[in-house]
Every structure is written in C-alpha cells, then in structure tokens.
C-alpha cells in the first residue's frame, strides 16, 4: 500500500490507474493528501460506446430494490468505513470530513452538515422520487408501461446515461444526481478539481450497498474530457460560472446549473417589520459559507434599504475566519487563492462605479481578503446599491455576499431577473399572485423562509425525472 | 547516411567532422548560399577558421531566426553548388500571413530512406499500400511519406488535412466547425480503408484516435502506424497503444518538422512507462535540450528544457534554432550514442493553453 491514497478513474466501475496523476493538496499547508488519476477524453468516448451495458446492469434491478440500495448507501456514506482508492486504503466518515475540509477549504462543521444533507437525500429517496414523478408508481418504469390515475402511461429513457461535470464549491450538490440511480440511469461523473472525495465516496457507498459497479463512471479529466461528457452523454448536468453555463444555455440535453441569483423580497405591507427578518436574511446570505446557488445574493426592498444594509452589515461584517476545526466556523477558505483574488478585485472594481457603498467595511475592521493558517478567505460583504443597474447589484460570489437594493414593489418583478430561489415576505394577495405567475423564479418561498431551505419532494432546479424520461402514448391490440 | 554508434566518443568525432564539412560547404563561395556568405561578410567572420567542432559551432553562431525563412526570397538559400537545379519549396506552420519556407532537393529522401530501416517489415509489409491522413499541401511530409512508401515498394493513398484552418477555427472557439472538419477528414480515411487494402498508416495522434473510433484498425488491415505531429504524454501513448491499437499494431511515434527531418523513437520498454524518447538523425541534425533562460547551457538529464535544433546538411545550414517545443533531456540509448528528447510538448505548455487542434 502506498503512503498516500490514490483515487483512480472508474471506467464503468472498473479501476483505472492513469500514468498521469495530480496531487490533491491541503489548501492550508500545500501538503498532498492523495493523488488522483487524470484521463484523456478518448477514454471517456471509449467507455461511452459501451454504456448500454451499464444501463442493462441497472435494469436488472427493480426500482424498489434500488430504493432499498439508496437507503443503505446513505447509511454507509454517513457512518461506515469505505474503500478509498486502489491501494487498499479505507476512509472513515471522520477521515472523509477531514480530508474534504483540507482540500476544499470548507470548515469541518460545514462538511458535516453537507454529509448529513447527502445522507438525508439518500434516506429520503422515495419521497424525492415521489416529488419528481408526482406520485408515479415506479413499477411503471420497471415494466415500461402501466396505468396511473386511470390513464395508461409509458415512459422511455431520453438517454442511456447521465453525464455530470461537477463543481468543487459544495459537497451537497452531489445530491442532485443521486435520483439517477433509482431511475436506472448510469452516471458518468467528472469530479470537481478540489472535490473528488464526495462523488468517489458516494459511488463506494452505492457499490457496497449492492448497486452494480458498472453504473458508475468517475473520470477526473481536463476541459476536453468535460466537453466530451457534456456532448456525448445524451443528458448531462453542468455546474459553473456564468461563462461556462452560457455556452450550454438552450441545449435541451444539458441542464445548466450556474449562479442562482437567489433573492429576498419584502413587500410594502411587511417592510415596517423588517428588523424581525434580519436573522433570516443573514442565514440566507451566509449559511454554508455563502457558497451555494441558493444563498441569497440580493435583498430587494421598497424602503429602508440603507437601514437594512446596515443591520445586515452589523451582523455579517464582524464574521472572521476561524480554524477549520472550530465548530463556530462560518467562512470557507478558497482552495484556489487566485479565485479569491479575482473576486476581491471584481468587488473593488464594482465599487469604483458610483452608486454603491460597501456597508460591511464599517464593521469589518480590516480587508475583505484575509489569511488564516495559510488559507485565503473572503469576509462577508454587503453592498448598498442605488439600482439594479449597478454592476454589483445582481451578482453572486463564492462568499457571503449580498447587495441591498431599494425598488418600488410594483417594479420588483420587472427588475429581479432569473432567480433560483426567491423568499418573498408579503401577505399582499396581488403581489403573491404576481410572484406565483413569474417565470423568473424557480423556487418560491412565501414568507420569511430562508432561501437555503429546500424540500425533498420538490425539485428546486430542474426535474431530473423529466430530464431522464419522456412520456409516450401507448396502446395494445 | 547517418551512422549510429554505441560509442559516444565516436559519435562525437563523427559529428565534429560533419560540422567541419558542412561549415566549409556553406561558407565557401564555390558551394555556399548567398545568405550565409553575406552573413559571414557582414560579420567580418570566417566560420571555416573558427568552427572545428559542434562545441565551436554552439559558441560561434547565434540562434537561427526563423523570420529569415519568411522574410527573404527562397533563392538566397540555394547553395552555389545547386544553382540551376529546381528545388522543392516546403512550408512550415503558419495560420495567417506569409508562411515560413524551406527549400530542398534530396534531404527528405535521405531522411526517410534512413527511417525505413527503423520500421519492421511485419508492421509495414513491403509492397503493401500505405495511407497518409494528415497535412499534405505545401509540406515536406507529403512527399516524404510517399517516398518512404515507394522506397519500400509500396503505394500510398492520401487524405489531406489543413492544420491552418483547424487552428483558425479553434482559436475562434468554433469547436463545432473543427469537429465537423475532423469528421470530414476521418470519414474520407474510413472510406479508403473500407475499399482498399491498406496495411500502413501515417497520421497524427488525434486523427488516429478518431479513426479508431470509427472502425477497428486491425480488422481494417492496418498492421503499422507511424505517427507524428503533436504532444504525446505517456498516458496518451498508453491509451493509443492499449485501446486504439489494442496492442496488435506496431506503433512508431516520431518527432520532426520541415526544418529538421525526422527523429525516430526507440521502441518502448516496460520501464519507459510509455515515455517516448526521440533521437535526431545525427549528424544531419542535432537536438539539444537547453536552459530556456541561458540557452548556451544544456539542462540536466531527465529535466525539462527548450528544444534547440541544428540542421547540418548541404541543402540547409540552420544553427541553433530554438524550437517552440520543450522536452526532457534523455541519455543516449542504443542504437543512438547521443542525447535524446522525450515527452516533447509545446514550449510553456504548463503555463498557457496552446492551440494544437488535430494537428
């Protein structure tokens, strides 16, 4: 057994050790914690040519059996020691959390929270599928046809597999692909550069729970390989920034998960009560280190913008980085310091355009970008903008960041733009109707619900079942 | 004809003697070309008096500037001894604007006839047809491959690929166009392989891979592949050998260009871990791996440095040309008694993205 673990590629479940390996480094010390094989795009293409065999392996299982496997996989993922790599290493849940925290920069407390989210997603897979399929008897997928609510139904898969180009920002994002397995769809995963640990461990948990190994492709690869996954899988999910996702917008085979631009809106009828909502706003902006697309990145109010911005800044501004093991850690380090530099520079550049004031600066006592234990952090930033037209008004960064903008209620829906989550605090029946009718909002919380709250039975970003299956008309003689 | 030695001293002596002969040729008014005679006159130097060895050459000559091949008319490179004899014009690189040109007569034949002895009859049966899928047009390679095939008694089919167009569309991020063009090239090759008996293939690694996705190359009759063109990191070589050629087809990677000719690789051994080392056709060409910051110095063995080419033929004298490539310096290995260059990749590849495309 080598000293450090090595994560191989998994080619339809089979271990493949590449001659090209990259170190996975502790973002604080720079010390390698393991190595990961890198494969070329041709290997992905070669394996995709035989992906129907992977699908066939999953087809042998009933949906019910696969749901049981999900439950077991969730337990294994959260609580058990699982194989790690191809040199006989194993990984306990604590080791997983420690390693992931070290390479991704997420504090341990957040990694554990993400682990729980993923385990819960697996434990609640039946509820999730019920939500995705709107209560479909999954036996219909096993048989290919059936009767539901007195209607004949038949579904066919839109693709032989699901491709995934994963990010490194937050482990819980992996819960998005988990339903593919009980939906009998093999996955072809390109892990995030700093975060291969979660998908690898999930795959090991599935295999240990009885899932056929052929259902899993794990391909650490460069840009060309990622492009191949997106182009050739038939159906794929891509995560990335605006530039990455813009490339694939409008492609029906690719579900794009870019910035969320999630927001909190307060109506005229509730704005006088704004101090009651400050904690909910802080949670929405800063939970999970402000790294999720469901973190609020803008607060839109009809008045008191300056007061609200100041109240948020008083709470968020003093937050400082804490050591990775500190239970109270609320900020995540940047595995790639260049990204922190870039974000910091973009915010500073934006502040040079008249019409924006960084309110947190008053309460921060120091620079936005700081270093602790060798790692780079960006401290929370609240910017009061005079309109949505300001370059910092509708932005999302990989840190707790929010703009506060004063907009008349009647103008809000015209100005907010596409928003993954909107928490709208209002009892105004007309405003609620307008919100419900808005095509710009993927998930709508009516009331003071943190934007970070998600529910298992409702997809908040695309419906994986509808992405992977299509209904056809069917008749029998 | 190159002689290969297991004795580095003998190889060095042969190289030094060759340097003297070539310097005498290019700097004598009866045999030399206008460019080098003018260069010596303007510099007030006579290399024939100062350069007696390869080491002298390195100390005496500055790096050859490839702009000269673009900016000057080709006639300035014609050695007096070749005057009146029509020449071939070969072009190198170029995506836009005036390309660089090298003229030649027989060098490509010499290079490829020598290379013929390095490929086995099992993989390239004499008399059986070849297919070249790659840049033809104004490139030396096109004539060279056909000459190699003919020299072995074989005919050769050709499918063209215009690398300038590929580089252009990739630089403009028109990836669909690049892919469509590659498909167009590969489809033509598949058609030939389906309708004609072909056993030898010359192509670039990317095209080889694409071709292997369209048909099983061994089943299609291919027994040997001679490859050149772009970076082949060890993992990629392994992929080609194991998964494209399935360990059933002979693989001959080469490193070369219009200015040098052809550096063959030594057969891969298990301990090479698919790292390919190329050896220049010394004494006609010399490859050194130099410190990019101080190009007079070689790097240590197994360290990265910039590739420097010196071409020493009667047709072309090209001293100390810095290639746009970097490589690992490798020790001599039989049958070659001089340094090799390994894992060649574009210079600065680790620092910036290089458009290589399919070429």
């Amino acid at each position: 057994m080598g000293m450090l673990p090595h994560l191989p590629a998994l080619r339809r479940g089979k271990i493949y050790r590449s001659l090209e390996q990259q170190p996975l480094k502790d973002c604080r010390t720079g010390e390698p914690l393991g190595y990961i094989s890198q494969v070329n795009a041709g290997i992905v293409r070669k394996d995709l040519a035989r992906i129907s065999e992977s699908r066939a392996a999953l087809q042998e299982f009933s949906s019910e059996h696969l749901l049981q496997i999900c439950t077991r996989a969730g337990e294994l993922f959260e609580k058990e020691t699982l194989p790690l790599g191809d040199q006989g290493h194993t990984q306990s849940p604590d080791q997983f959390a420690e390693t992931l925290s070290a390479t991704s920069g997420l504090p341990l407390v957040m990694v554990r929270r993400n682990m729980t989210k993923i385990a819960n997603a697996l434990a609640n897979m039946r509820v999730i599928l019920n939500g995705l399929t709107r209560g479909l008897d999954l036996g219909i997928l096993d048989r290919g046809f059936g009767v539901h609510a007195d209607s004949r139904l038949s579904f066919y898969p839109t693709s032989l597999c699901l491709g995934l180009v994963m990010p490194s920002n937050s482990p819980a994002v992996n819960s998005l692909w988990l339903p593919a397995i009980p939906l009998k769809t093999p996955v072809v995963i390109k892990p995030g550069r700093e975060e291969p640990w979660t998908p690898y461990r999930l795959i090991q948990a599935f295999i240990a729970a009885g899932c056929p190994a052929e259902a899993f492709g794990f391909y650490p690869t460069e840009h060309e390989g990622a492009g191949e996954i997106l182009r050739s899988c038939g159906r794929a999910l891509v995560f990335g920034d605006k530039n990455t996702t813009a490339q694939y917008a409008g492609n029906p085979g690719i579900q794009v998960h870019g910035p969320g631009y999630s927001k909190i809106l307060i109506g005229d009828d509730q704005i006088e009560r704004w101090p009651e909502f400050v904690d909910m706003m802080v949670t929405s902006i800063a939970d999970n280190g402000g790294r999720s697309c469901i973190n609020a990145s803008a607060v839109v109010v009809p008045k008191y913008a300056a007061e609200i911005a100041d109240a948020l800044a008083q709470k968020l501004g003093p937050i400082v980085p804490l050591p990775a093991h500190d239970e109270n850690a609320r900020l995540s380090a940047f595995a790639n310091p260049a990204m922190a530099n870039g974000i910091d520079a973009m915010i500073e550049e934006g502040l040079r355009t008249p019409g924006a004031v960084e309110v947190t600066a008053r309460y921060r006592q120091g620079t936005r970008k700081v270093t602790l234990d060798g790692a780079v952090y960006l401290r929370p930033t609240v910017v009061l903008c005079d309109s949505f037209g300001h370059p910092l008004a509708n932005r999302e960064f990989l840190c707790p960041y929010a703009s506060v903008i004063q907009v008349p209620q009647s103008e809000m829906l015209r100005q907010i733009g596409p928003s993954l989550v909107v928490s709208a605090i209002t009892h105004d029946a007309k405003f609620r109707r307008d919100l419900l009718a808005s095509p710009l909002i993927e998930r709508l919380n009516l009331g003071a619900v943190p934007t970070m709250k998600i529910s298992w039975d409702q997809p908040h970003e695309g419906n994986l079942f509808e992405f992977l299956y299509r209904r056809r008309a069917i008749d029998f003689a | 004809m190159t002689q290969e030695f297991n004795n580095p001293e003998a190889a060095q002596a042969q190289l030094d003697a060759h340097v003297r002969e070539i310097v005498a040729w290019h700097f004598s008014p009866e045999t030399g070309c206008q460019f080098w005679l003018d260069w010596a006159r303007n510099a007030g130097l006579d290399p024939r008096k100062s350069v007696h060895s390869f080491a002298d050459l390195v100390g005496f000559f500055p790096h050859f500037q490839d702009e000269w091949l673009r900016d000057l008319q080709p006639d300035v490179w014609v050695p007096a001894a070749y005057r009146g004899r029509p020449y071939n014009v070969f072009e190198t690189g170029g995506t836009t604007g005036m390309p660089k040109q090298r003229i030649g007569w027989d060098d490509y034949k010499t290079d490829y006839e020598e290379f013929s002895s390095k490929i086995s009859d099992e993989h390239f049966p004499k008399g059986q047809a070849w297919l070249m899928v790659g840049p033809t047009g104004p490139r030396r390679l096109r004539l060279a491959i056909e000459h190699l095939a003919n020299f072995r008694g074989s005919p050769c089919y050709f499918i063209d690929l215009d690398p300038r167009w590929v580089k252009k569309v990739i630089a403009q991020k028109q990836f669909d166009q690049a892919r469509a063009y590659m498909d167009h090239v590969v489809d033509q090759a598949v058609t030939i392989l389906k309708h004609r008996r072909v056993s030898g293939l010359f192509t670039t690694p990317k095209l080889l891979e694409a071709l292997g996705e369209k048909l099983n190359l061994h089943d299609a009759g291919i027994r040997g592949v001679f490859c050149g063109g772009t970076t082949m990191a060890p993992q990629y070589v392994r992929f080609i050998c194991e998964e494209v050629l399935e360990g059933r087809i002979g693989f001959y990677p080469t490193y070369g260009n219009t200015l040098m000719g052809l550096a063959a690789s030594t057969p891969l051994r298990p301990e090479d871990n698919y790292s390919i080392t190329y050896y220049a056709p010394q004494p006609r060409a010399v490859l050194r791996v130099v410190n990019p910051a101080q190009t007079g110095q070689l790097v240590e063995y197994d360290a990265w440095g910039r590739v420097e080419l010196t071409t020493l033929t009667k047709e072309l004298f090209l001293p100390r040309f810095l290639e746009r490539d970097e490589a690992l310096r490798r020790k001599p290995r039989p049958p070659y008694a001089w340094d090799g260059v390994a894992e060649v990749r574009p210079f600065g590849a680790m620092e910036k993205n290089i458009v290589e495309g399919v070429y």
Side-chain angles (χ1 to χ4, degrees):
Chain A
M1 187 168 83
M3 294 286 283
L4 291 173
H6 164 254
L7 297 189
L10 298 174
R11 304 182 60 182
R12 299 192 307 108
K14 287 206 183 82
I15 282 175
Y16 182 83
R17 188 185 181 90
S18 170
L19 294 175
E20 196 179 324
Q21 296 171 12
Q22 299 284 343
L24 292 159
K25 291 183 182 169
D26 184 316
C27 73
R28 293 175 178 86
T29 63
E31 172 200 355
L33 300 176
Y35 291 86
I36 185 164
S37 273
Q38 296 287 312
V39 297
N40 51 297
I43 281 185
V44 176
R45 278 195 292 273
K46 190 95 183 164
D47 293 357
L48 282 176
R50 292 180 58 188
I51 200 71
S52 58
E53 295 169 39
S54 299
R55 188 170 187 95
L58 274 176
Q59 292 294 327
E60 304 263 315
F61 291 72
S62 68
S63 299
E64 185 55 38
H65 192 172
L66 290 170
L67 280 172
Q68 289 163 15
I69 287 175
C70 285
T71 307
R72 179 71 186 130
E75 293 162 3
L76 292 167
F77 175 79
E78 192 177 25
K79 295 176 183 148
E80 299 297 330
T81 293
L82 291 168
L84 179 69
D86 59 354
Q87 300 182 101
H89 291 89
T90 57
Q91 186 188 57
S92 68
D94 282 346
Q95 286 170 324
F96 166 70
E98 292 271 355
T99 318
L100 175 52
S101 169
T103 61
S104 70
L106 278 175
L108 216 50
V109 63
M110 283 184 211
V111 172
R112 294 222 168 87
R113 229 172 272 151
N114 276 271
M115 277 177 84
T116 307
K117 271 189 197 170
I118 293 169
N120 283 344
L122 284 165
N124 288 287
M125 190 54 74
R126 190 180 299 278
V127 183
I128 292 174
L129 289 188
N130 196 56
L132 293 174
T133 64
R134 300 185 188 86
L136 185 76
D137 167 10
L138 295 177
I140 291 175
L141 292 186
D142 293 339
R143 294 188 299 277
F145 62 92
V147 175
H148 180 77
D150 295 331
S151 285
R152 275 175 296 190
L153 288 178
S154 174
F155 289 94
Y156 64 94
T158 53
S159 168
L160 288 171
C161 64
L162 174 66
L164 296 145
V165 175
M166 298 301 292
S168 293
N169 62 324
S170 182
V173 79
N174 283 280
S175 50
L176 279 177
W177 62 261
L178 301 175
I181 298 303
L183 290 172
K184 304 187 175 190
T185 307
V187 287
V188 176
I189 303 173
K190 178 209 172 285
R193 190 182 285 269
E194 290 104 24
E195 215 287 78
W197 309 103
T198 308
Y200 193 87
R201 184 171 172 84
L202 276 166
I203 291 169
Q204 297 309 315
F206 268 115
I207 294 170
C211 202
E214 300 96 294
F216 301 97
F218 179 79
Y219 299 96
T221 178
E222 294 294 331
H223 188 72
E224 190 192 352
E228 201 57 54
I229 289 175
L230 294 175
R231 192 168 45 252
S232 309
C233 282
R235 286 286 186 268
L237 268 52
V238 61
F239 299 79
D241 61 14
K242 210 172 163 183
N243 290 338
T244 314
T245 54
Q247 269 186 60
Y248 300 103
N251 182 335
I254 298 179
Q255 205 178 80
V256 177
H257 295 253
Y261 303 118
S262 297
K263 296 178 180 75
I264 294 164
L265 273 55
I266 305 181
D268 288 329
D269 60 321
Q270 300 295 313
I271 193 63
E272 300 299 332
R273 295 174 57 204
W274 68 264
E276 296 170 38
F277 310 130
V278 169
D279 286 344
M280 167 268 183
M281 290 191 255
V282 165
T283 300
S284 298
I285 294 165
D287 264 16
N288 204 38
R291 292 188 138 206
S292 305
C293 50
I294 53 176
N295 278 114
S297 53
V299 174
V300 188
V301 291
K303 56 182 177 177
Y304 304 124
E307 291 83 349
I308 291 170
D310 192 73
L312 292 174
Q314 282 187 45
K315 298 247 181 189
L316 291 167
I319 296 175
V320 289
L322 293 172
H325 285 79
D326 195 310
E327 286 296 310
N328 296 311
R330 295 178 69 185
L331 298 181
S332 180
F334 280 80
N336 178 2
M339 191 179 277
N341 294 339
I343 292 173
D344 194 41
M346 268 190 271
I347 296 174
E348 286 303 317
E349 173 70 27
L351 287 170
R352 279 197 275 277
T353 302
V357 178
E358 194 203 340
V359 193
T360 21
R362 292 174 209 155
Y363 303 100
R364 199 166 51 214
Q365 291 162 346
T367 54
R368 183 181 303 108
K369 193 178 73 172
V370 289
T371 304
L372 175 73
D373 298 337
V376 179
Y377 294 78
L378 289 180
R379 292 181 62 189
T381 301
V382 175
V383 176
L384 177 65
C385 293
D386 63 356
S387 74
F388 259 108
H390 192 276
L392 288 176
N394 203 11
R395 294 299 292 274
E396 179 172 311
F397 298 111
L398 210 58
C399 62
Y401 172 88
S403 57
V404 181
I405 312 143
Q406 193 159 304
V407 175
Q409 178 183 300
S410 58
E411 285 293 311
M412 283 182 188
L413 290 178
R414 267 197 284 274
Q415 295 196 22
I416 58 171
S419 307
L420 182 57
V421 183
V422 164
S423 289
I425 304 170
T426 179
H427 294 304
D428 177 336
K430 179 175 180 310
F431 191 30
R432 284 187 164 211
R433 271 200 308 278
D434 291 345
L435 286 158
L436 284 162
S438 172
L440 298 169
I441 303 168
E442 284 283 318
R443 177 185 172 90
L444 177 63
N445 297 317
L446 289 169
V449 180
T451 56
M452 294 292 284
K453 183 173 181 294
I454 52 164
S455 40
W456 301 119
D457 58 343
Q458 295 185 81
H460 68 271
E461 193 171 13
N463 181 321
L464 196 65
F465 172 65
E466 290 170 1
F467 192 52
L468 295 177
Y469 283 89
R470 190 166 291 157
R471 188 180 167 189
R472 69 150 70 83
I474 192 163
D475 217 333
F476 299 94
Chain B
M1 179 69 68
T2 300
Q3 290 174 40
E4 288 142 15
F5 296 88
N6 287 326
N7 178 344
E9 288 77 33
Q12 189 61 51
Q14 186 210 28
L15 175 61
D16 290 342
H18 188 74
V19 166
R20 289 190 291 275
E21 182 189 353
I22 293 300
V23 166
W25 172 272
H26 285 282
F27 292 91
S28 300
E30 316 80 61
T31 48
C33 68
Q34 183 193 331
F35 177 87
W36 285 117
L37 293 171
D38 288 351
W39 182 89
R41 193 178 313 113
N42 292 338
L45 300 168
D46 186 351
R48 291 173 296 179
K49 292 184 181 152
S50 313
V51 176
H52 305 290
S53 65
F54 187 77
D56 290 345
L57 180 150
V58 170
F60 189 85
F61 285 100
H63 295 298
F64 184 87
Q65 303 298 308
D66 61 349
E67 284 76 16
W68 293 330
L69 298 172
R70 184 186 57 209
D71 298 341
L72 304 176
Q73 294 297 323
D75 289 348
V76 302
W77 303 102
V78 177
Y82 283 67
R83 237 170 253 152
R85 207 180 143 195
Y87 51 77
N88 299 116
V89 181
F90 301 119
E91 292 187 356
T92 169
T95 39
T96 53
M98 184 64 202
K100 291 161 191 133
Q101 294 169 329
R102 175 213 168 154
I103 60 170
W105 292 263
D106 299 320
D107 272 359
Y108 75 88
K109 294 179 186 165
T110 310
D111 286 336
Y112 281 71
E113 285 173 20
E114 181 184 294
F115 180 70
S116 179
S117 66
K118 300 178 196 302
I119 59 178
S120 85
D121 291 352
E122 176 198 352
H123 298 134
F124 294 91
K126 287 191 169 144
Q128 293 189 18
W130 285 50
L131 169 66
M132 171 179 172
V133 189
T136 62
R139 284 175 191 75
R140 192 177 110 119
L141 193 60
R142 185 252 184 265
L143 285 183
I145 298 292
E146 186 160 44
H147 182 75
L148 172 62
N150 293 168
F151 184 71
R152 298 176 64 80
S154 301
C156 186
Y157 302 97
F158 289 90
I159 307 294
D160 181 40
L161 173 125
D162 180 356
R164 294 176 189 170
W165 176 248
V166 176
K167 283 186 179 176
K168 200 179 246 182
V169 294
I170 289 178
Q172 291 168 353
K173 297 192 187 302
Q174 295 174 312
F175 301 115
D176 289 348
Q177 279 241 30
R179 206 166 297 119
Y181 182 58
M182 188 154 152
D183 288 346
H184 166 66
V185 171
V186 170
D187 287 348
Q188 294 174 77
V190 168
T191 303
I192 293 286
L193 291 178
K194 280 184 177 167
H195 293 90
R196 294 289 179 267
R197 281 189 297 275
V198 175
S199 59
L201 178 65
F202 172 86
T203 191
T204 66
K206 289 273 179 196
L207 287 168
L208 176 64
E209 189 185 334
L211 201 49
E213 285 165 13
K214 293 277 172 86
L215 42 69
N216 182 297
L217 291 166
H218 191 270
D219 293 352
I222 299 297
R223 294 295 175 268
V225 170
F226 160 30
C227 221
T230 48
T231 312
M232 276 191 282
Q235 169 60 25
Y236 192 66
V237 175
R238 174 191 175 194
F239 169 71
I240 294 285
C241 291
E242 289 180 351
E243 307 201 29
V244 178
L245 306 180
E246 299 174 327
R248 300 195 291 170
I249 295 173
F251 186 47
Y252 296 85
T254 56
Y255 172 56
N257 57 40
T258 302
L259 302 180
M260 172 175 66
L262 189 67
S265 57
T266 44
L268 284 169
R269 305 167 302 190
E271 60 267 36
D272 293 332
N273 244 343
Y274 292 97
S275 173
I276 296 173
T277 305
Y278 305 98
Y279 291 87
Q282 230 172 270
R284 295 194 312 285
V286 179
L287 288 174
R288 303 196 314 149
V289 183
V290 299
N291 179 344
Q294 286 181 296
T295 54
Q297 292 175 357
L298 294 174
V299 298
E300 297 295 317
Y301 284 114
D302 301 316
W304 288 96
R306 188 162 181 178
V307 178
E308 183 202 79
L309 164 71
T310 297
T311 300
L312 298 162
T313 71
K314 288 184 174 173
E315 295 180 9
L316 179 67
F317 175 64
L318 181 132
R320 303 188 62 214
F321 172 60
L322 287 173
E323 294 279 6
R324 289 183 180 79
D325 289 324
E326 60 190 15
L328 292 166
R329 181 184 174 205
R330 284 278 157 79
K331 286 184 176 162
R333 174 169 156 186
Y336 305 102
W338 49 88
D339 287 355
V341 302
E343 298 186 28
V344 182
R345 65 189 186 197
F347 182 61
M350 300 310 280
E351 283 80 43
K352 55 183 189 256
N353 289 327
I354 306 279
V355 174
E356 282 196 274
V358 295
Y359 179 38

